Amino acid sequence: MRIPPRSILADFLKLGRTSNEVGCGGRAASRARHGIRGVYSGHGLEAAVLNIRSVGCNQLHSMTTWAPFAIGHGYHSDVRAGENTGKERIAVIGSGNWGSVAAKLVATNALSHENIHDEVRMWVFEETLANGEKLTQVINKNKINVKYLPNVNLGVNVVADPNLENTVKDATMLVFCTPHQFVESICKQLQGKVNPNAKAISLIKGMEVKPDGPVMLSKLITKHLGIDCSVLMGANIANEVAMEQFSEATVGYKADTSIAKSWVQAFATPYFHVAAIKDVEGVELCGTLKNVVAIAAGFVDGLGMGNNTKAAIMRIGLKEMIGFSKLLFPTVSDATFFESCGVADLITTCFGGRNRKVAEAYARNGGKRSFDELEAELLGGQKLQGVLTAGEVFQVLKARNWEKKFPLFATVHKIAIGHLPPSTIVDYDNESAQKLHRNPSVGVIG
């Protein structure tokens, strides 16, 4: 029998300890630690990883805990692709920073829940890297998205696919995580090509503004694909979740609690806590509007105005988020804004994240460099959502004569397009703002 290298043995023993920490019984952890000889000699390292199932562990602590077993050995599914097993099959549509983290989360859980098929397919918009290699090939070889999430193992069971239709084939759970301006074209491409019994979830921040008013992306997905669509938003900057720092998220669902439970099961890990609430519009608008406030916070940082000013802008921004949401959808719950998707995400985004970062640079340069230019320079191919969203929100304000009711939102847009200097972030219509904030009844503004 060939004995594995000492480093691999150490990693396997670590896996056994981790299994005990996350709720596997003592017997399971013992078998994971002491059963290495039989597992290794009989089935190979991949089986050693998958064997955690057989010893009773319901949820692995982390994909990176056992990443050494994945690299260089390949992935062998326990079920042939396309076979009807009655298991859920997850496909992730999008492979940027957050999409890659989403794939890592669901791939971890796919290996630890018997009702989910092991393989997770991730649609990748194909790119040629500087060394001439295709991005999908590199991801499938190393299990790392070297462009958008470097140095993070996505999981042995993640398969990158440049073909959108092939990615969703046979999938019963679709995870949407693309820049919001591409959602409608993607959905049109997938019409009639997804499982009619599938369900979707959107991790995308933004909205579409149509001639008859704003349309939330979850509704757009349902309209084009004819399937239920929940949303997941929260205080979770992608790189921190990738490093398995503790964070939370909120699933907003329509009515079916079984669907909500399915999404919680797919995403929740010991370091990523997920709660579900029956308020799709409220959760989705929180994730959308907080990016506009983060742009304002970035202006404050770029102008060196300090924490008092930033706190004031955040508070005003939260009030406008609540008022705007409840005017559009009276069913939105006040309680939603106290979930992870609400005030927690607002705080996180206003102190970190790409929207605040680029807006700070914009203000520091006195508005003389465009957001497009700064996006290309600072984000490494990622897309900025807050400026687009500010423009979409402003279209709604303009069409409904709400500009004075939401002066901060209106001002952010006007600064972003160069009609006002960044310093006016604190010089917007204070009379209207005071009128808004004196009104104790959120949602009844004026």
Side-chain angles (χ1 to χ4, degrees), residues 293-318 346 350-351 363 408 415 422-428 430 437:
V293 185
I295 295 290
F299 293 155
V300 169
D301 287 343
L303 294 165
M305 290 183 170
N307 290 328
N308 289 347
T309 306
K310 190 169 182 177
I313 290 296
M314 290 169 63
R315 185 194 71 82
I316 293 166
L318 178 61
L346 179 64
C350 287
F351 282 91
L408 183 65
I415 293 172
S423 60
T424 56
I425 194 62
V426 293
D427 295 329
Y428 59 83
N430 286 295
H437 303 138

Side-chain angles (χ1 to χ4, degrees), residues 156-205:
V156 65
N157 53 324
V158 172
V159 177
D161 194 330
N163 187 301
L164 176 60
E165 295 175 22
N166 191 60
T167 299
V168 305
K169 182 182 178 182
D170 301 321
T172 61
M173 301 178 77
L174 304 178
V175 179
F176 282 83
C177 199
T178 66
H180 84 269
Q181 60 267 39
F182 304 135
V183 173
E184 188 160 27
S185 62
I186 288 171
C187 287
K188 287 180 177 178
Q189 185 178 340
L190 292 178
Q191 279 181 330
K193 296 169 184 175
V194 302
N195 186 328
N197 296 316
K199 48 188 165 286
I201 193 165
S202 172
L203 280 61
I204 306 168
K205 286 82 174 177

Side-chain angles (χ1 to χ4, degrees), residues 71-85:
I71 298 175
H73 293 277
Y75 168 69
H76 301 287
S77 173
D78 58 347
V79 182
R80 289 184 181 274
E83 184 177 335
N84 184 11
T85 63

Side-chain angles (χ1 to χ4, degrees), residues 59-64 66 103-113 120 154-155 157 244 266 269 271:
Q59 188 173 56
L60 293 178
H61 168 69
S62 134
M63 207 64 172
T64 53
W66 44 269
K104 169 183 161 67
L105 290 167
V106 298
T108 300
N109 287 329
L111 287 179
S112 59
H113 292 297
V120 171
L154 301 182
N157 53 324
E244 302 184 5
T269 71
Y271 63 87

Side-chain angles (χ1 to χ4, degrees), residues 10 14 16 18 21 77 92 108 111 139 178 202 205 257 266 332 336 345 355 380 413 417 436:
K14 180 181 178 183
T18 302
E21 290 168 5
S77 173
V92 179
T108 300
L111 287 179
I139 293 173
T178 66
S202 172
K205 286 82 174 177
T257 57
V332 167
T336 298
D345 194 10
N355 291 284
H413 170 67
I417 62 174
L436 167 62

